[in-house]
């Protein structure tokens, strides 16, 4: 059996741990051969491959990023893209494909499965917004990095009696903001799922100053004020039609300065959240996903994705993961609200 492996979409700590586990079990237990596809769907689309054996995966467990490279290439939007992928896989003698990615990459994997290709999916995203799995690897690392940043912002905010705003990633789902804000003791957490009332935020900020502490606000990049609009970097869209976010933190700082008279500053964590070594939790989760993905290939469980449910790794239909996003439920947000102001 010759198995292709690719990583697509935004990178994520733990991708290399998945690749290592897939290859280690695949070669030693099942005697499979592997082909690494470079840069997401661009690899099978353009026939860009690399060697992928035991030697290539040595020492990569703690390394961030992906040895295969990644991209947001969307073959569904390219004329004849799916047919080219099918031809390239056939001419390379690929029997099965493991696609490691988020909603976009796995959406393409779902399309290919419907066209008869033998695909198994592995969920990844720091945003933790994929359905059918309790957690995606990379999320714990991103939350750990953001929590450390918030811890550091507390002390400088208090020295200068300033409002400090930490803008974290999360286009449609506020999981990173919710978890890092809770863990870091932010006084206000703003997420895309719940448009915020600026007057209420002003009230929370002022009550925090009255208690002689400085307010820390953790805001997701996709958060927006009631009756307001998403703040984007520019008008360009990526191949999956996503706008580039970031800027809501700076907008909020200006509004709060003018409404409260207190100085406000914003820190945008950006790609720092996605870089570097994965936490122990993410290494273990990614490793278990990899071991189970290659077992799914062995069992011919095409069109499935491995998922974490409770403490078990299970197989779910790919469509279950990509049909809709997993957003923060109101009850989870209400828990955090107990600490606002
Ligand atoms: O990986 C998902 C994500 O982290 C989103 O939260 C964020 O909007 C996006 O990636 C940024 O991606 P890019 O690397 O393309 O700027």
């Amino acid at each position: 059996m010759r198995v292709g492996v690719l990583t697509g979409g935004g990178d994520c700590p733990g991708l290399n741990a998945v690749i290592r586990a897939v290859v280690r079990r695949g070669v030693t237990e099942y005697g499979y051969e592997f082909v690494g596809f470079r840069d997401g769907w661009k690899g099978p689309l353009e026939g860009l491959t690399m060697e992928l054996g035991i030697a290539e995966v040595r020492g990569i467990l703690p390394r961030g990023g992906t040895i295969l490279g990644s991209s947001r290439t969307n073959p569904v939007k390219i004329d004849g893209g799916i047919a080219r992928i099918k031809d390239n896989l056939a001419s390379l003698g690929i029997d099965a494909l493991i696609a490691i990615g988020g909603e976009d990459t796995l959406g393409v994997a779902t399309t290919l499965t419907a066209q008869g290709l033998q695909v198994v999916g592995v969920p990844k995203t720091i945003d933790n917004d994929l359905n059918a799995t309790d957690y995606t690897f990379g999320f714990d690392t991103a939350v750990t990095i953001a929590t450390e940043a918030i811890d550091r912002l507390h002390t400088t905010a208090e020295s200068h009696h300033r409002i400090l705003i930490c803008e974290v990633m999360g286009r449609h789902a506020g999981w990173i903001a919710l978890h890092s804000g809770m863990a870091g003791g932010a006084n206000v957490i703003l997420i895309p799922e719940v448009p915020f009332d600026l007057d209420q935020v002003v009230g929370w900020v002022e009550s925090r100053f009255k208690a002689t502490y400085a307010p820390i606000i953790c805001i997701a990049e996709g958060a927006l004020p009631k009756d307001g609009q998403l703040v984007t970097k520019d008008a360009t869209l990526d191949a999956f039609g996503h706008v580039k976010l970031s800027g809501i933190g700076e907008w909020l700082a200006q509004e709060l300065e003018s409404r409260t008279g207190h100085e406000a500053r914003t820190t945008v964590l950006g790609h720092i959240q996605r870089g570097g070594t994965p936490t122990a939790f993410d290494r273990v989760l990614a490793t278990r996903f990899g071991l189970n993905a290659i077992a799914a290939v062995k069992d011919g469980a095409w069109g499935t994705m491995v998922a974490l449910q409770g403490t078990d790794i299970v197989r779910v239909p790919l469509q279950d993961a990509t049909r809709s996003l997993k957003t923060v439920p109101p009850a989870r947000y209400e828990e955090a609200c107990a600490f606002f102001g």
Side-chain angles (χ1 to χ4, degrees):
M1 167 93 80
R2 254 163 91 75
V3 183
V5 183
L6 67 84
T7 53
D11 73 343
C12 176
L15 285 168
N16 285 326
V18 179
I19 299 166
R20 168 182 173 267
V22 161
V23 172
R24 284 282 288 273
R25 175 173 263 181
V27 171
T28 54
E29 278 186 43
Y30 307 144
Y32 291 168
E33 276 174 36
F34 288 90
V35 173
F37 283 105
R38 289 190 179 276
D39 301 341
W41 290 113
K42 193 173 177 205
L45 189 69
E46 297 181 10
L48 307 174
T49 62
M50 64 174 265
E51 297 256 315
L52 192 60
I54 299 280
E56 284 72 30
V57 300
R58 275 230 163 83
I60 66 171
L61 172 64
R63 215 191 305 156
T66 160
I67 59 166
L68 297 175
S70 194
S71 76
R72 294 195 190 272
T73 300
N74 182 358
V76 176
K77 289 262 176 75
I78 296 169
D79 217 12
I82 297 293
R84 261 163 71 193
I85 289 184
K86 281 175 135 182
D87 289 349
N88 285 337
L89 293 181
S91 64
L92 288 161
I94 304 292
D95 303 297
L97 193 60
I98 295 183
I100 312 167
E103 48 156 340
D104 299 328
T105 305
L106 296 180
V108 176
T110 309
T111 305
L112 287 172
T113 303
Q115 303 249 341
L117 288 185
Q118 309 199 132
V119 187
V120 165
V122 177
K124 83 72 241 190
T125 166
I126 63 163
D127 296 338
N128 197 40
D129 58 2
L130 269 175
N131 255 316
T133 185
D134 289 351
Y135 285 100
T136 46
F137 64 86
F139 173 64
D140 185 66
T141 306
V143 168
T144 301
I145 292 166
T147 302
E148 190 193 334
I150 293 170
D151 286 348
R152 290 174 186 279
L153 292 175
H154 272 289
T155 59
T156 175
E158 277 154 28
S159 306
H160 290 271
H161 317 290
R162 279 177 178 152
I163 304 161
L164 279 185
I165 298 168
C166 184
E167 183 187 297
V168 297
M169 281 188 173
R171 291 174 201 269
H172 308 291
W175 291 107
I176 298 177
L178 181 76
H179 280 228
S180 61
M182 271 183 112
N187 315 115
V188 181
I189 300 170
L190 302 173
I191 62 174
E193 293 87 339
V194 186
F196 60 87
D197 176 344
L198 196 51
D199 293 332
Q200 194 174 35
V201 176
V202 168
W204 285 324
V205 162
E206 280 171 342
S207 87
R208 189 72 182 174
F209 277 121
K210 278 195 200 113
T212 69
Y213 283 108
I216 304 286
I217 300 175
C218 183
I219 186 167
E221 62 184 354
L224 72 171
K226 277 184 183 155
D227 308 318
Q229 286 190 339
L230 273 183
V231 179
T232 56
K233 254 189 183 159
D234 54 48
T236 56
L237 299 179
D238 69 20
F240 285 92
H242 303 302
V243 287
K244 279 191 206 133
L245 294 179
S246 184
I248 184 68
E250 198 45 53
W251 176 86
L252 185 61
Q254 283 167 20
E255 289 291 326
L256 292 177
E257 275 199 357
S258 70
R259 286 165 187 248
T260 67
H262 288 281
E263 270 192 314
R265 297 278 196 279
T266 299
T267 298
V268 179
L269 285 188
H271 293 84
I272 289 172
Q273 288 157 101
R274 276 199 350 217
T277 187
T279 58
F281 179 90
D282 281 339
R283 292 181 205 188
V284 173
L285 179 59
T287 298
R288 294 183 70 206
F289 276 169
L291 293 173
N292 283 275
I294 196 64
V297 168
K298 170 100 178 22
D299 295 345
W302 313 123
T304 64
M305 179 190 90
V306 293
L308 178 71
Q309 291 184 359
T311 53
D312 296 329
I313 308 291
V314 298
R315 292 174 194 163
V316 297
L318 265 172
Q319 304 99 289
D320 287 5
T322 53
R323 200 173 290 130
S324 61
L325 281 180
K326 182 182 71 188
T327 51
V328 174
R332 287 294 317 273
Y333 189 62
E334 273 157 30
E335 291 169 353
C337 292
F339 301 94
F340 290 5

